[in-house]
């Protein structure tokens, strides 16, 4: 059996994030000790199999932990991290907080000189849920997610390495950033969308009777995160107030601008062009997000197939490919003048190309070129 | 074999929506004739098995259609609907457009007196995709969705009934509204979220190098619909300019207000309370959306289980229930003083209660009360 990635880990705060980290570590046989000020949270986390509670008699054992993970609300981070540095004098200490510069400043304010601040390295797994509490915790919550690792100037290299190992053990991809860079980034990719979602959802409270029955998937997607815990988000946004406020003003100005364009639309074609530019900019922004295709574009291949000009041929092609167990990632039909009229490109994962070609040949499809 | 719901349907516009309607009708053996100004779209739709193209020799047959479904871009709706009323003198005519008052006004402007406007009833299926074109079409696109049916003052009752039958044939739930009510409703549930999503996604174009790697599922959800077709959305928003502009101004004011609260947060606790209220209002708005639980709350039942006070018991309970094939919709743990400490409520679909009780008994769980 391989060595566990950590010998003993203390998780302080058995909420959604802390319990999920504990569950992820338990998969590898790591010994996890749990603490939470709320006995209910602690009971649920223990009951889920996330670890065992630290009892007074355990103190000496807990002190030998090699890693402490602090998963408490943002407003409490500084005091709890500073306290952990004092209580676990040989452990690396990290946290799961959503804002990093404020957590570091608060920790410095509470940690006396010589308290071992060089053993602290901030962390922030980019995963979560609009739910909260240990009941929503999952061992695979971090699978394939980014995990920001935010060393400060004095962080020890071995502490940074330990936090990166934690991220990888939880199935995440560690990404190193300074605390300040991190906060700028999350203001854009997390806090702005949170407030925008909240504002759209807030206006739903003004809906006339019966109008919400027209809600479709788009509205549900846009407003899902607005269901998050208001107390938690008050703390997160307050802790990153400056970068968030700047982006909110910018977003608000853009909304006003679109509204003005709509109000003046009879005036000129220029208004429509403005509106279209705003929409095009949004579509461009979405394409910049790393995604299914964006992440590893090289992993997909195009197989061109020539379709007979008969009704239902594309349906038959999809059925044949599906029956062969090959997943079509994308389909493109080129309408350019020099392309044969019935040419369809099937984009599939490159590993499945041989199976696709065999299925196409078996069913008599004409693979082009 | 049962009678098909329609004898012969003409679908004008073989884009995402028109082709999906055609595919949905084909499931019931309805004869579908397709038209599209773009021969490429038409070929793809035919190739998917959505119907056959109307050729010049088919004109007499097409004229006997009992329903015409117009699925063209908003700016073209009025002319194409008026034209369809003239070309198909005995057919009910409906459309799939996202804005209804403007479509009706444009149709009136293009349909001469006696053109049979009483055979026109607007429609708007509340389904779609950030993709467009017939390749993205699916026969089940409308399953379980609302489908707005918007008669005007002169619409014939049999025409209204035919459009409601179309909605149900496509698996959707018809919802009757006046064109004006519809436009107010979609400004809130569709057009506002679209622009909010667009503005958030647009700001992603300003991201510093490497910051977007921190993007999580929340941002992806909020910005998904911003990937929609800018030309189509320019037309939709322009056609519903007034109600949309009003909501955009309101949303912008709310964003500025949150930003100001964040900027002044050091001043007073009152600022935090304001911020929290905004977030709470958003969470309230999300809960108002009809959803998995909201739609049919009576369909779920709570089964209380008493947990032994041992590590891992909740994990074992979930595993036992899962192995019995019962899907847990929600879990609640009551921390109130009068409740036994280990009491867990499993919320399941009421049809599965007997199977759940049997599985719990089989594994020795203590079902409470």
């Amino acid at each position: 059996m391989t060595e566990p990635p950590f010998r003993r880990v203390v998780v302080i705060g058995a909420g959604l994030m802390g319990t999920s980290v504990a569950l992820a570590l338990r998969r590898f046989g790591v010994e996890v000790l749990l603490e939470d000020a709320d006995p209910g949270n602690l009971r649920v986390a223990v009951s889920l199999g996330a670890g065992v509670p630290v009892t007074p008699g355990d103190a000496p054992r807990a002190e030998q932990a090699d890693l402490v993970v602090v998963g408490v609300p943002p407003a409490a981070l500084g005091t709890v991290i500073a306290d952990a540095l004092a209580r676990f004098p040989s452990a690396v200490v990290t946290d799961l907080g959503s804002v990093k510069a404020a957590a570091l400043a608060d920790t410095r304010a509470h940690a006396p000189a010589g308290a071992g601040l060089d053993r602290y390295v901030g962390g922030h797994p980019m995963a979560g849920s609009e739910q909260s509490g240990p009941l929503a915790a999952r061992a695979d919550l971090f699978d394939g997610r980014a995990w920001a690792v935010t060393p400060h100037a004095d962080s020890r290299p071995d502490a940074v390495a330990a936090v990166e190992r934690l991220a990888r053990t939880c199935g995440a991809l560690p990404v190193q950033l300074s605390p300040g860079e991190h906060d700028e980034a999350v203001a854009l990719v997390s806090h702005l969308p949170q407030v925008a979602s909240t504002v759209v959802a807030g206006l739903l409270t003004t809906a006339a009777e019966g109008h919400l029955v027209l809600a479709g998937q788009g509205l549900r997607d846009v407003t899902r995160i607005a269901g998050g815990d208001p107390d938690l988000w008050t703390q997160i946004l307050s802790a990153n107030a400056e970068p968030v406020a700047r982006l909110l003003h910018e977003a608000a100005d853009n909304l006003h601008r679109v509204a003005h364009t709509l109000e003046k639309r009879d005036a000129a074609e220029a208004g429509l062009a403005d509106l279209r530019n705003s929409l095009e900019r949004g579509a461009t922004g979405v394409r910049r997000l790393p995604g299914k295709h964006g992440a590893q574009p090289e992993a997909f291949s195009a197989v061109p197939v020539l379709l007979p000009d008969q009704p239902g041929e594309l349906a038959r092609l999809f059925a044949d490919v599906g029956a062969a167990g090959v997943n079509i990632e994308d389909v493109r039909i080129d309408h350019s003048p020099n392309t044969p009229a019935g040419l369809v490109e099937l984009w599939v994962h490159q590993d499945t190309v041989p199976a696709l070609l065999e299925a196409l040949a078996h069913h008599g499809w004409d693979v082009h070129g």
Side-chain angles (χ1 to χ4, degrees), chain A:
Chain A
M1 197 175 154
T2 54
E3 191 81 1
F6 299 94
R7 205 177 30 181
R8 188 174 294 152
V9 174
V10 176
V11 173
I12 303 178
L16 168 66
M17 302 295 275
T19 305
S20 293
V21 167
L23 289 170
L25 291 172
R26 292 293 305 135
R27 296 183 298 193
F28 296 92
V30 176
E31 182 185 349
V32 178
L33 302 176
L34 297 166
E35 290 189 16
D36 197 296
D38 176 343
N41 273 359
L42 194 57
R43 280 197 73 256
V44 171
V46 169
S47 197
L48 283 168
V52 295
V54 181
T55 58
D58 288 335
R61 196 157 59 104
E63 278 164 22
Q64 288 162 34
D66 41 11
L67 179 69
V68 178
V69 179
V70 176
V72 301
L77 276 175
T79 47
V80 177
I81 293 168
D83 185 52
L85 288 168
R87 286 169 58 205
F88 306 99
S90 62
V92 168
V93 176
T94 189
D95 69 311
L96 308 170
S98 311
V99 181
K100 306 275 52 130
L104 177 62
D106 285 358
T107 302
R108 279 193 206 281
H110 289 92
L117 197 66
D118 57 348
R119 288 181 285 116
Y120 168 65
V121 177
H124 179 205
M126 303 310 298
S129 167
E130 69 281 14
Q131 299 177 286
S132 56
L135 262 177
R138 299 191 340 244
D140 64 355
L141 187 66
F142 311 107
D143 273 6
R145 306 291 183 167
W147 188 307
V149 177
T150 60
H152 56 88
D154 303 324
S155 293
R156 272 176 13 200
D158 65 308
V160 178
V163 176
E164 294 190 334
R165 190 161 74 246
L166 171 68
R168 276 189 293 262
T169 303
C170 291
L173 177 78
V175 177
Q176 243 192 72
L177 294 160
S178 76
E181 283 173 336
H182 167 275
D183 291 354
E184 287 284 340
V186 294
L188 181 65
V189 304
S190 170
H191 305 170
L192 164 68
Q194 180 68 35
V195 179
S197 178
T198 283
V199 164
V200 171
L203 286 170
L204 297 181
T205 61
T206 68
E209 185 69 27
H211 283 194
L212 292 186
V213 75
L214 295 189
Q217 193 53 44
L219 179 64
R220 288 197 174 75
D221 285 352
V222 169
T223 58
R224 181 181 61 82
I225 57 176
D229 177 5
D231 289 319
L232 177 63
W233 276 103
T234 299
Q235 293 184 32
I236 293 173
L237 297 172
S238 302
N240 202 22
E242 199 191 307
V244 175
R246 201 169 54 238
L247 283 166
L248 294 182
H249 281 310
E250 203 172 337
D253 291 343
N254 290 350
L255 286 177
H256 276 312
R257 197 169 308 131
V258 173
H260 287 135
T261 304
L262 288 173
E263 285 164 342
K264 295 181 303 186
R265 78 192 186 289
D266 295 331
E269 283 297 306
L272 284 188
D274 271 1
L275 179 55
R276 200 195 173 289
N277 284 345
S278 300
L279 293 160
E280 182 60 60
R281 188 177 180 225
T284 303
V286 175
R287 283 194 294 269
R288 283 196 59 183
L289 284 179
K292 195 174 176 186
H293 293 196
Q296 300 182 300
E298 75 288 353
F300 295 95
S301 301
V303 173
V305 180
L306 208 53
L307 281 189
D309 195 8
Q310 302 270 332
E313 287 298 299
L314 204 51
R316 194 165 69 80
L317 175 64
F318 289 169
D320 289 347
V321 174
V326 173
N327 195 29
I328 299 178
E329 302 291 336
D330 201 358
V331 180
R332 294 181 203 159
I333 296 194
D334 193 340
H335 289 198
S336 64
N338 296 326
T339 314
L343 189 66
V344 175
E345 278 185 358
L346 302 179
W347 285 76
V348 296
H349 198 282
Q350 60 192 21
D351 297 350
T352 65
V353 169
L356 175 62
L357 291 175
E358 192 186 319
L360 293 173
H362 176 71
H363 290 97
W365 292 100
D366 184 0
V367 177
H368 188 73

